[in-house]
Amino acid sequence: MSAEWPNISVGDEASFEIMVTEDMVSKFVEVSGDDNPLHADSSFAVLKGFSKKVAHGMLLGSLFSRLVGRHFFGDDNLYISQTLQFRKPVLIGDTVLVKGVITDKIESAKILRIRTTIESGGTVAISGEAQVTLIV
């Protein structure tokens, strides 16, 4: 998959759904070393007012890389930046909608700005902005 600069427009969007699984969270704990009991211990999460363990915000934020690299532009892009605002916890077993909308196309630098969101249960759980350049 590749993207050609002239064919990209402000307003273009891409999205995918994915269920947050125990396996995803366990692997993220292994890679990141973040074994906070909210993520790793069901009893602790319940004690703190959640019905299940909470997925790492950074695990969910990493899904924007899949959105940009596989659902928007394929192999012809390089991430420049990504902001994240964590608005609502996502629990293991939740299905999330990962979405991006191109909001700006900077011709001189071949940079795209993309509004990124992750929704859970119809509510925005994470929002932010990606900046991406095409390397074609």
Side-chain angles (χ1 to χ4, degrees), residues 64-74 77 79 114 130 132:
F64 292 134
S65 182
R66 181 188 300 185
L67 177 75
V68 168
R70 293 291 148 226
H71 294 272
F72 260 120
F73 312 114
N77 72 90
Y79 238 111
I114 304 167
V132 178

Side-chain angles (χ1 to χ4, degrees), residues 4-18:
E4 293 185 27
W5 185 258
N7 298 332
I8 298 169
S9 300
V10 170
D12 286 353
E13 59 183 69
S15 65
F16 68 93
E17 284 189 337
I18 187 169

Side-chain angles (χ1 to χ4, degrees), residues 42-57:
S42 296
S43 299
F44 184 83
V46 168
L47 181 67
K48 295 299 180 180
F50 298 97
S51 61
K52 300 178 192 175
K53 291 187 279 186
V54 177
H56 299 77

Side-chain angles (χ1 to χ4, degrees), residues 20-120:
V20 179
T21 66
E22 178 78 41
D23 186 53
M24 290 167 67
V25 172
S26 294
K27 287 177 180 175
F28 193 81
V29 167
E30 184 180 327
V31 169
S32 70
D34 181 358
D35 63 353
N36 179 313
L38 277 177
H39 311 303
D41 182 337
S42 296
S43 299
F44 184 83
V46 168
L47 181 67
K48 295 299 180 180
F50 298 97
S51 61
K52 300 178 192 175
K53 291 187 279 186
V54 177
H56 299 77
M58 294 303 288
L59 165 62
L60 295 162
S62 73
L63 295 173
F64 292 134
S65 182
R66 181 188 300 185
L67 177 75
V68 168
R70 293 291 148 226
H71 294 272
F72 260 120
F73 312 114
D75 299 331
D76 296 333
N77 72 90
L78 181 65
Y79 238 111
I80 297 172
S81 68
Q82 174 73 57
T83 63
L84 298 171
Q85 295 176 335
F86 303 107
R87 300 176 177 275
K88 170 188 168 186
V90 173
L91 306 179
I92 292 176
D94 288 354
T95 296
V96 296
L97 174 65
V98 182
K99 183 176 179 181
V101 179
I102 296 174
T103 59
D104 196 11
K105 183 176 177 182
I106 304 168
E107 294 285 342
S108 61
K110 298 276 193 277
I111 291 175
L112 299 165
R113 288 191 180 127
I114 304 167
R115 182 177 59 246
T116 53
T117 57
I118 294 179
E119 295 179 11
S120 177

